[in-house]
Amino acid sequence: MTNIVDVRELTKRYDNGFEALKSVDLSIKQGEIIALLGPNGAGKTTLISTICGITQATSGSVTIGGHDNLTDFRAARNLVGLVPQEINLEPFEKVMNTVKFSRGLFGKAPDPAYLEKILRSLSLWDKKDDRIMMLSGGMKRRVLIAKALSHEPRVLFLDEPTAGVDVELRKDMWDVVAKLKEDGVTIILTTHYIEEAEAIADRIGVIAKGEILLVEDKDHLMKRMGKKSLKIELIEPVSAVPDALSKYGLRLEEGHLVYTYDTSLDRTGITSLLADLQTAGLQMSDLQTQQSSLEEIFVSLVAEQEGAA
């Protein structure tokens, strides 16, 4: 798959010496959804702004569709749509006029059929003649997406697109993103909601303190770094882990035992644990397994990076 965005050794350093980005390398494939995860202040918004040409890098390079975003800015920018965190819309303007205006800014000829398609896909068609001030917060975010798509970009940046949006509307937005991918749009998503990344992303990037910690296929990442927990429910709950089972690193949850193991190892240790459990005189009533979530993987990666700093 061809890379549509290439970032090489991108650094952003401010006058006070603070480095918001530290020699970032990132390649984004055409037609994929990549989620950038990171804590507040990690550099997510700075990275997006720099790729889009809104913020100027201290050093490094960015190409979009083969166009350098500095020396060939117009060609690069025409390929990009950006949905910012902040809802900054003209409150007295109508939805359709807002989207038309954005298309015109990029020098695109009028195309009512295309704009209708966008508004219908975002459930905004029946709101096309409403003034922005009359819309809910979730609908305003949809207008931001419509504006970003108005000039037919091939790369769409979504910077915290569902911040402040209720759960039901958030899931609707995921459906919109999936449809955009079907149309061949490349999507770069930053989010605090890790379930978003887990639900819709093809690849996951983790950024902390201006550095990319990893970029990896989501399923491969969860398989490589994920762990499973085995909850052993006992007929008679215990108040402490028996000394005979101390080597397994068990923890207690409401009187029951929980064993964490690495799925990538040839031997999980479960067979010997269950044998030793019986030797210790403990009787099981049930066994339950649980796979570690993307959130747990993310938290552990960031904690490692902070510990190394």
Side-chain angles (χ1 to χ4, degrees):
M1 195 179 297
T2 307
N3 290 336
I4 193 166
V5 177
D6 271 306
V7 177
R8 291 289 171 263
E9 298 183 354
L10 197 67
T11 297
K12 176 60 181 177
R13 186 181 303 106
Y14 291 96
D15 292 341
N16 63 3
F18 174 70
E19 276 192 312
L21 298 174
K22 302 174 183 177
S23 195
V24 170
D25 288 323
L26 179 64
S27 294
I28 299 169
K29 302 172 186 175
Q30 187 171 327
E32 75 169 332
I33 300 175
I34 181 170
L36 290 175
L37 305 178
N40 289 331
K44 301 187 299 295
T45 298
T46 303
L47 178 58
I48 284 181
S49 298
T50 308
I51 293 174
C52 292
I54 298 170
T55 299
Q56 188 168 345
T58 304
S59 62
S61 66
V62 175
T63 59
I64 303 170
H67 303 285
D68 187 280
N69 77 335
L70 287 179
T71 60
D72 199 6
F73 172 77
R74 289 189 182 277
R77 187 64 181 86
N78 280 340
L79 294 173
V80 171
L82 172 62
V83 181
Q85 287 187 40
E86 299 79 13
I87 298 178
N88 188 11
L89 297 166
E90 171 52 55
F92 295 99
E93 191 54 271
K94 293 181 179 179
V95 170
M96 178 59 87
N97 290 342
T98 297
V99 179
K100 282 181 179 178
F101 181 73
S102 288
R103 182 176 176 86
L105 284 177
F106 285 87
K108 292 282 188 176
D111 190 340
Y114 174 71
L115 296 185
E116 178 179 346
K117 176 185 174 183
I118 291 175
L119 293 180
R120 286 190 182 278
S121 72
L122 294 165
S123 301
L124 285 171
W125 183 244
D126 62 338
K127 307 286 186 182
K128 66 182 186 300
D129 295 320
D130 289 3
R131 298 188 188 279
I132 298 295
M133 63 189 296
M134 303 301 295
L135 302 180
S136 67
M139 285 297 172
K140 288 176 183 176
R141 289 207 174 273
R142 290 178 183 232
V143 173
L144 288 176
I145 295 177
K147 277 168 53 70
L149 292 172
S150 65
H151 64 287
E152 304 171 58
R154 303 316 300 154
V155 182
L156 181 65
F157 288 92
L158 301 171
D159 195 6
E160 301 284 355
T162 57
V165 173
D166 63 58
V167 173
E168 184 176 351
L169 189 53
R170 200 183 306 162
K171 290 180 179 177
D172 289 343
M173 298 278 274
W174 297 353
D175 291 338
V176 168
V177 170
K179 289 175 184 175
L180 290 172
K181 182 188 175 183
E182 289 176 5
D183 291 338
V185 178
T186 302
I187 297 161
I188 297 90
L189 167 78
T190 73
T191 180
H192 279 93
Y193 300 110
I194 295 180
E195 69 268 26
E196 275 185 340
E198 199 159 356
I200 65 176
D202 300 308
R203 288 197 300 158
I204 303 294
V206 178
I207 183 171
K209 295 186 177 179
E211 297 181 78
I212 297 285
L213 303 185
L214 63 78
V215 179
E216 197 166 325
D217 177 83
K218 177 187 66 181
D219 294 334
H220 182 264
L221 173 65
M222 295 185 71
K223 183 177 180 180
R224 181 173 69 85
M225 300 195 67
K227 293 184 178 180
K228 277 193 174 181
S229 295
L230 177 69
K231 184 175 183 180
I232 305 167
E233 295 192 3
L234 304 171
I235 293 176
E236 294 184 9
V238 296
S239 58
V241 177
D243 291 339
L245 302 175
S246 60
K247 66 180 180 180
Y248 294 103
L250 300 170
R251 69 178 190 273
L252 277 177
E253 282 188 7
E254 299 177 349
H256 303 296
L257 301 174
V258 178
Y259 174 59
T260 301
Y261 58 97
D262 192 334
T263 57
S264 65
L265 299 177
D266 293 334
R267 299 187 178 213
T268 62
I270 292 175
T271 303
S272 60
L273 168 62
L274 297 182
D276 288 345
L277 196 73
Q278 189 172 17
T279 301
L282 300 178
Q283 292 182 297
M284 299 178 296
S285 61
D286 195 13
L287 290 174
Q288 298 178 26
T289 59
Q290 182 178 0
Q291 180 77 36
S292 60
S293 67
L294 181 58
E295 181 168 9
E296 290 168 321
I297 294 171
F298 164 70
V299 169
S300 67
L301 283 170
V302 173
E304 285 177 15
Q305 198 266 358
E306 290 178 346

